[in-house]
């Protein structure tokens, strides 16, 4: 083997093994002889490193593979792992809304408040009682038109049917958006009164009907006055105030009929 061929073989071995593997190559049997015969190389490897340096500086020589690694500033995590949002409140999702009043929904009205579409217990009681009274006035008015013996009683009964039917419609429109329904049946007490008057006729009916109207309108006036002064719902309060003069006029009319001795 010529000196040039030895040198070329040596450079190839250096390229394959790398600088760090030169010392181990020197220890390989037969390599020491090649080292000795190649232009007087010695076992120390000084010329070996010189040849290796020249080979590394050669632009046509392949360099070591380049590993493209992203910097990972998060020890223990994958370089492609996205940053996790910091949650300063253990046990709660970062997007969970904060409720500063435990035990109560954030949308629940605070103490004493009612929803705009709901009524207080006092206003509900007024609606139920007013609905019951108006229903009874209408049913007894129809009965007076049928069984009354005097023209005054018949006429009064017709006015009660018309005015209290209208009042019921107004009340129904007011409470439609307030989560309250008007009663659809008369109470047990009003039903008993209706049955009692249904068994009467002539003057007996007229007298019993007038007395029932006096008691009914006295109750209605007291109920509407309380709502007008103490009601919490502004719509119902205004409606009760508006209806009070009509109720008072109805009471005055029936009192006049009862006091008029010219009428049976």
């Amino acid at each position: 083997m010529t000196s040039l061929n030895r040198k070329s073989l040596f450079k190839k071995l250096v390229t394959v093994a790398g600088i760090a593997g030169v010392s181990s190559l020197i220890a390989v049997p037969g390599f020491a002889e090649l080292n000795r015969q190649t232009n007087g190389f010695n076992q120390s490897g000084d010329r070996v490193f010189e040849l290796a340096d020249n080979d590394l500086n050669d632009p046509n020589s392949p360099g070591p593979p380049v590993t493209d690694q992203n910097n990972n500033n998060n020890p223990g995590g994958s370089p492609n792992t996205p940053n996790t949002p910091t949650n300063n409140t253990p046990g709660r999702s970062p997007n969970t809304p904060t409720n500063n009043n435990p035990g109560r929904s954030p949308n629940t009205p605070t103490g004493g408040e009612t929803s705009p579409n709901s009524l207080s217990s006092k206003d509900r009681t007024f609606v139920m009682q007013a609905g019951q009274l108006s229903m009874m006035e209408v049913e007894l008015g129809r009965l007076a038109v049928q069984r009354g013996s005097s023209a005054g009683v018949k006429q009064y009964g017709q006015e009660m049917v018309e005015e209290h039917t209208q009042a019921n419609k107004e009340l129904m429109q007011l409470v439609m958006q307030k989560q309250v329904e008007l009663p659809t049946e008369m109470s047990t007490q009003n039903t008993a009164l209706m049955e009692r008057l249904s068994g009467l006729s002539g003057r007996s009916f007229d007298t019993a009907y007038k007395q029932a109207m006096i008691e009914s309108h006295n109750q209605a006036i007291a109920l509407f006055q309380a709502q007008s002064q103490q009601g919490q719902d502004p719509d119902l309060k205004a409606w009760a105030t508006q209806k009070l003069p009509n109720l008072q006029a109805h009471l005055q009319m029936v009192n006049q009929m009862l006091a008029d001795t010219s009428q049976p």
Side-chain angles (χ1 to χ4, degrees):
M1 180 181 295
T2 64
S3 175
L4 180 59
N5 290 336
R6 293 193 195 98
K7 186 175 182 180
S8 176
L9 175 60
F10 181 78
K11 293 178 65 176
K12 289 181 180 181
L13 291 174
V14 170
T15 301
V16 173
I19 300 300
V22 170
S23 58
S24 61
L25 286 174
I26 295 174
V28 176
F31 189 84
E33 181 64 20
L34 176 63
N35 177 31
R36 184 181 60 80
Q37 297 178 4
T38 305
N39 295 331
F41 293 163
N42 55 44
Q43 294 267 167
S44 65
D46 291 339
R47 286 289 296 160
V48 173
F49 287 103
E50 180 180 351
L51 290 173
D53 291 339
N54 293 336
D55 187 68
L56 291 175
N57 292 329
D58 187 352
N60 297 322
S61 175
V66 178
T67 303
D68 186 10
Q69 295 181 348
N70 295 327
N71 291 332
N72 184 6
N73 295 325
N74 186 4
S78 172
N80 297 324
T81 302
N83 292 331
T84 303
T86 303
N87 184 5
N88 295 327
T89 305
R92 184 172 67 84
S93 172
N95 297 325
T96 303
T98 303
N99 184 4
N100 295 326
N101 192 349
R104 185 172 66 86
S105 172
N107 297 325
T108 303
T110 55
E113 295 181 2
T114 57
S115 172
N117 294 330
S118 64
L119 295 177
S120 65
S121 58
K122 180 178 291 186
D123 289 337
R124 288 175 180 269
T125 300
F126 167 76
V127 169
M128 299 301 294
Q129 292 181 354
Q132 282 287 345
L133 287 172
S134 289
M135 188 185 307
M136 184 187 69
E137 295 282 356
V138 171
E139 296 301 323
L140 289 180
R142 291 172 178 168
L143 192 61
V145 173
Q146 296 173 2
R147 306 184 69 85
S149 62
S150 67
V153 168
K154 289 180 178 292
Q155 181 180 357
Y156 185 85
Q158 183 61 36
E159 290 183 3
M160 295 302 101
V161 171
E162 294 175 357
E163 295 196 21
H164 284 281
T165 297
Q166 179 62 30
N168 268 340
K169 290 181 179 179
E170 296 174 358
L171 183 58
M172 184 179 298
Q173 291 177 352
L174 283 177
V175 302
M176 186 178 300
Q177 302 298 327
K178 300 179 185 295
Q179 303 176 3
V180 178
E181 294 183 0
L182 292 179
T184 57
E185 297 180 358
M186 288 192 302
S187 64
T188 303
Q189 182 180 357
N190 293 341
T191 301
L193 176 61
M194 183 77 179
E195 292 176 353
R196 182 172 68 85
L197 291 179
S198 296
L200 302 175
S201 60
R203 290 189 176 185
S204 297
F205 176 86
D206 290 352
T207 301
Y209 176 73
K210 293 174 186 178
Q211 188 63 41
M213 289 298 98
I214 290 175
E215 294 177 359
S216 173
H217 281 87
N218 278 328
Q219 294 177 11
I221 289 172
L223 177 66
F224 277 66
Q225 281 180 338
Q227 181 66 20
S228 176
Q229 297 172 0
Q230 304 172 9
Q232 298 181 10
D233 184 84
D235 297 329
L236 290 175
K237 189 173 182 179
W239 184 76
T241 303
Q242 177 188 356
K243 292 300 177 183
L244 262 175
N246 293 343
L247 295 173
Q248 293 168 344
H250 295 166
L251 179 60
Q252 185 177 1
M253 289 170 60
V254 71
N255 279 327
Q256 289 176 350
M257 285 195 300
L258 192 61
D260 190 354
T261 56
S262 63
Q263 296 185 11

